[in-house]
Amino acid sequence: MATAADMAHPAPATTSPRTPATTASMGWTGWALRVVVSAHVVAIAGQPVFAGVYLTGDYDSLRWHAIGADVLTSIGYLQVIAAIVVWVRLRQAGPFLATAAVVAAETVQYFAGLEGALWLHIPLGVMTVVALVVQFIAVWRRPLLRREVRDARAR
């Protein structure tokens, strides 16, 4: 039977690997990566729309597609920085490796678009959108835990 003292100072709850992470256990580093990946997904979602509107005959949309490419590339490089911070602070290389692959594909796609190489630009764009959406799901589904929290859960 629990006493009043036990109720006032309950024992810390043990966490199992299935227990969702709290905001405190993830820290600002994981949240920063989530925010940047989310902005990246929003930016990439507009690119096919601008390209599609351009293909319907609205030639002004090509300018919006180009501006979107510049914004998208900038957010991608911010995501690289956030992923490096996650790697250094949380000792998780996975987000960096995934980000590096997406940003490399975006960079190739950017220059393919400038050169008018649509045979490469369009399929690479589709693959990049899919890869980024998968990364978005991964960072929101599986929290980026601090090392000590991750180690404690592994025991």
Side-chain angles (χ1 to χ4, degrees):
M1 186 148 151
T3 64
D6 291 336
M7 291 178 167
H9 302 288
T14 59
T15 59
S16 72
R18 296 179 190 263
T19 305
T22 62
T23 302
S25 66
M26 192 163 74
W28 66 268
T29 309
W31 281 103
L33 183 63
R34 281 182 170 180
V35 167
V36 175
V37 170
S38 298
H40 204 170
V41 166
V42 169
I44 206 167
Q47 287 302 92
V49 174
F50 296 138
V53 173
Y54 167 71
L55 292 175
T56 65
D58 182 359
Y59 299 112
D60 212 23
S61 291
L62 185 59
R63 185 172 58 88
W64 284 106
H65 187 68
I67 291 169
D70 291 338
V71 169
L72 186 64
T73 302
S74 299
I75 295 172
Y77 294 138
L78 286 175
Q79 185 174 326
V80 168
I81 294 168
I84 289 171
V85 172
V86 165
W87 190 3
V88 169
R89 290 184 47 91
L90 303 180
R91 304 286 186 242
Q92 293 189 29
F96 171 74
L97 297 173
T99 296
V102 167
V103 170
E106 283 178 346
T107 303
V108 170
Q109 183 190 8
Y110 184 91
F111 288 107
L114 287 177
E115 293 298 317
L118 298 182
W119 62 269
L120 177 61
H121 184 72
I122 293 172
L124 189 56
V126 172
M127 288 186 282
T128 305
V129 170
V130 170
L132 192 54
V133 168
V134 168
Q135 191 174 22
F136 171 82
I137 292 168
V139 299
W140 279 98
R141 188 160 188 241
R142 190 170 151 215
L144 300 164
L145 301 176
R146 285 189 274 178
R147 210 174 349 169
E148 58 272 9
V149 174
R150 197 172 60 242
D151 293 345
R153 286 185 177 193
R155 292 182 194 156

